Amino acid sequence: MPSISALFDAHLAAIHALRIQEARIEELGGQSGACLHYGNRIFLCGNGGSAADAQHIAAEMVCRFETQRRGLRRSPLTTDTSH
């Protein structure tokens, strides 16, 4: 089992990798915001664990945390996967 220090190092490496993508992440955030501003919908999908993540993100977009606002338009494509 890895040490706590090794786990911290792995997390720091992941954050560093995200910093490299910072401009792209900001661009995608702006595109998502524009999509919602113009009344469009964001579709989320995934496979396996990513499907669960997509459903969780969709729920976060509908629910509110600290700020009162209307739910955002989104559709998780992973709902009722056995249906």
Side-chain angles (χ1 to χ4, degrees):
M1 180 163 192
S3 69
I4 296 293
S5 181
L7 292 172
F8 286 163
D9 289 342
H11 285 289
L12 290 172
I15 289 171
H16 177 70
L18 283 173
R19 285 243 184 238
I20 295 169
Q21 298 294 324
E22 187 173 356
R24 181 69 177 139
I25 292 168
E26 284 187 36
E27 178 186 354
L28 292 171
Q31 290 175 355
S32 297
C35 172
L36 294 168
H37 176 77
Y38 290 109
N40 296 308
R41 181 180 303 266
I42 294 177
F43 291 91
L44 301 128
C45 62
N47 183 349
S50 296
D53 289 339
Q55 289 177 354
H56 181 83
I57 292 167
E60 294 288 343
M61 293 175 80
V62 170
C63 298
R64 292 163 295 286
F65 178 74
E66 292 186 356
T67 303
Q68 290 298 319
R69 63 165 173 76
R70 289 179 19 169
L72 304 174
R73 292 175 52 95
R74 86 305 171 261
S75 292
L77 300 177
T78 56
T79 305
D80 298 327
T81 53
S82 60
H83 186 259

